């Protein structure tokens, strides 16, 4: 089993989508203006939804009867990065004006950096070895 898709929520969908596309360099694969933007992430998909648009049930007879969903508060997502890639990400984020909230080595080995997307979600880059991977 593996994770196929992960979802984050952002009322400021346009700003948040621009962050993932322009700052993190993700490739947009689908968009429904005002509702969602989907990005390809090596072997999986990142879904960014506007919760006020997805919390309501699909209309009767909708072609895609996805159940309502949404989240309140800030979510979290972690991207894998090698030790070598970590410095490149720090430089890229810094050049884009993104503040690194935390940068540390885990006691069991491996490094993580944390920052926020425009919606306030906590985003992390970490070496997979923090989980023994």
């Amino acid at each position: 089993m593996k994770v196929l898709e992960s979802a984050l929520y952002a009322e400021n969908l346009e700003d948040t989508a621009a962050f993932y596309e322009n700052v993190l360099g993700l490739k947009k694969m689908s968009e429904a203006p005002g509702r969602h933007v989907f990005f390809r992430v090596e072997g999986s998909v990142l879904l960014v939804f506007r919760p006020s648009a997805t919390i309501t049930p699909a209309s009767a007879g909708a072609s895609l009867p996805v159940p309502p969903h949404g989240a309140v508060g800030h979510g979290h997502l972690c991207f894998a990065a090698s030790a070598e890639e970590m410095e490149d990400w720090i430089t890229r984020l810094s050049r884009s004006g993104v503040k690194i909230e935390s940068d540390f080595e885990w006691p069991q080995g491996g490094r993580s950096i944390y920052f926020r997307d425009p919606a306030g979600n906590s985003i992390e880059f970490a070496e997979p070895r923090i989980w023994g991977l």
Side-chain angles (χ1 to χ4, degrees):
M1 182 177 0
K2 76 180 212 180
V3 175
L4 177 62
E5 59 189 39
S6 297
L8 291 173
Y9 294 88
E11 279 302 324
N12 58 341
L13 187 60
E14 294 76 17
D15 292 343
T16 303
F19 173 84
Y20 286 100
E21 189 170 23
N22 301 325
V23 176
L24 299 190
L26 298 182
K27 182 178 169 147
K28 188 187 304 182
M29 57 183 290
S30 175
E31 178 177 18
R35 186 180 188 281
H36 69 255
V37 180
F38 299 163
F39 296 96
R40 185 161 314 284
V41 181
E42 192 178 327
S44 66
V45 178
L46 170 60
L47 314 172
V48 182
F49 291 105
R50 176 174 278 136
S52 60
T54 58
I55 197 71
T56 57
S59 59
S63 62
L64 299 172
V66 176
H69 56 87
V72 176
H74 303 139
H76 172 70
L77 183 66
C78 179
F79 294 100
S82 68
E84 296 78 25
E85 294 168 326
M86 201 68 72
E87 289 304 322
D88 292 337
W89 280 114
I90 290 169
T91 299
R92 184 175 182 156
L93 292 165
S94 177
R95 286 184 181 151
S96 296
V98 177
K99 178 185 175 227
I100 304 295
E101 290 187 329
S102 187
D103 178 349
F104 63 92
E105 295 282 335
W106 289 90
Q108 70 275 24
R111 183 180 182 190
S112 284
I113 61 170
Y114 290 83
F115 54 96
R116 300 278 170 175
D117 71 11
N121 293 303
S122 176
I123 308 302
E124 176 184 8
F125 278 104
E127 293 179 68
R129 65 189 178 124
I130 69 170
W131 292 109
L133 302 173

